[in-house]
Amino acid sequence: MVGTETPEDAYTAEPFVPDRGGLPALRRAAADCRGCPLHRDATQTVFGAGKATARLMLVGEQPGDQEDRQGEPFVGPAGRLLDRALEEAGIDPADTYVTNAVKHFKFTRSEPRKRRIHKAPTLRETTACGPWLAAELAQVEPELIVVLGATAGKALLGSSFRVTRVRGTVLEEEINGRPERLVPTVHPSAVLRAEDRDGAYQGLLSDLEVAARALR
Ligand code: URA
Ligand code: SF4
């Protein structure tokens, strides 16, 4: 309909991304992003966090319920599990930069308690949010990227990405015109949901050990 188009109809964060100012400017600008409809129901933008000088960048899917409330990535149950696995693999979580492919929490409300249930972002939403991830990569210039699950993998490596095929290996791919090294693994939330939780955790741990070795 003419005259009622909103910025989110364009499905791209591009016009909201500043081209100078570093991570602090990106974070400030992302707070006002309306590059897709997901900002409407979420509490706030959850931008990446951590060291601008980090050698390792971890990319998840999207903020969860806790992250949406607190405004920081990976501060809920999945984040606690991830921190434990990182430490066990010999990586200090404080030395990493952590972010998500999508910066707003997508959810549905379950009756009768109206709990907010995570809903996977679509490829269209992930693509819309891509300019933020590209800008973070350009600022942090990590030596290695740990790809946490399918959404992050598709965001970085395209829609044909399959976690099970490449997890625990060091990939060398060109992303946004720059060579990057990546180690894909499962999403920590998938470990929490797994029937064999110990087995799934050991799998995540051994993939993170591959990442730790690749950094040495
Ligand atoms: N899951 C994610 O992918 N990211 C978060 O920040 C929290 C849970
Ligand atoms: Fe912008 Fe990404 Fe949020 Fe969509 S999900 S409004 S593109 S920050």
Side-chain angles (χ1 to χ4, degrees):
M1 230 190 299
V2 178
T4 59
E5 276 205 8
T6 59
E8 52 258 52
D9 293 329
Y11 275 85
T12 176
E14 195 70 64
F16 299 93
V17 181
D19 50 17
R20 61 189 66 211
L23 282 176
L26 289 175
R27 176 181 271 268
R28 275 195 303 277
D32 295 322
C33 185
R34 287 166 291 134
C36 84
L38 291 187
H39 72 92
R40 288 189 212 153
D41 295 332
T43 308
Q44 58 191 316
T45 305
V46 178
F47 203 66
K51 290 212 173 108
T53 54
R55 296 172 63 206
L56 182 67
M57 179 156 154
L58 297 121
V59 183
E61 182 193 66
Q62 62 164 341
D65 179 82
Q66 288 298 315
E67 289 78 15
D68 173 76
R69 293 170 200 272
Q70 298 182 40
E72 294 290 327
F74 284 105
V75 290
R80 281 193 290 278
L81 183 130
L82 178 61
D83 280 356
R84 178 156 72 91
L86 283 169
E87 274 166 16
E88 237 182 290
I91 298 167
D92 185 351
D95 284 340
T96 66
Y97 183 88
V98 186
T99 192
N100 287 297
V102 172
K103 266 67 173 172
H104 275 107
F105 179 38
K106 184 178 181 183
F107 60 93
T108 52
R109 288 197 189 272
S110 78
E111 302 289 347
R113 280 165 55 231
K114 301 268 190 197
R115 226 160 46 85
R116 303 193 301 174
I117 307 294
H118 159 278
K119 210 172 166 212
T122 62
L123 190 57
R124 198 173 181 208
E125 290 153 351
T126 307
T127 305
C129 213
W132 291 119
L133 185 57
E136 289 175 294
L137 266 173
Q139 287 299 323
V140 179
E141 293 189 310
E143 283 171 41
L144 189 71
I145 304 167
V146 168
V147 182
L148 300 167
T151 299
K154 288 178 202 295
L156 288 162
L157 299 163
S159 58
S160 64
F161 175 86
R162 297 288 177 275
V163 159
T164 47
R165 260 185 237 156
V166 287
R167 64 176 297 182
T169 63
V170 184
L171 305 178
E172 300 192 1
E173 298 286 344
E174 193 170 297
I175 298 175
N176 308 321
R178 268 209 305 263
E180 302 283 4
R181 289 195 310 156
L182 312 96
V183 174
T185 186
V186 292
H187 194 285
S189 297
V191 174
L192 291 172
R193 283 193 309 267
E195 221 168 284
D196 174 15
R197 211 195 260 204
D198 289 344
Y201 180 81
Q202 288 308 317
L204 170 66
L205 179 56
S206 74
D207 293 347
L208 291 177
E209 284 167 347
V210 171
R213 277 196 296 277
L215 271 177
R216 274 177 209 131

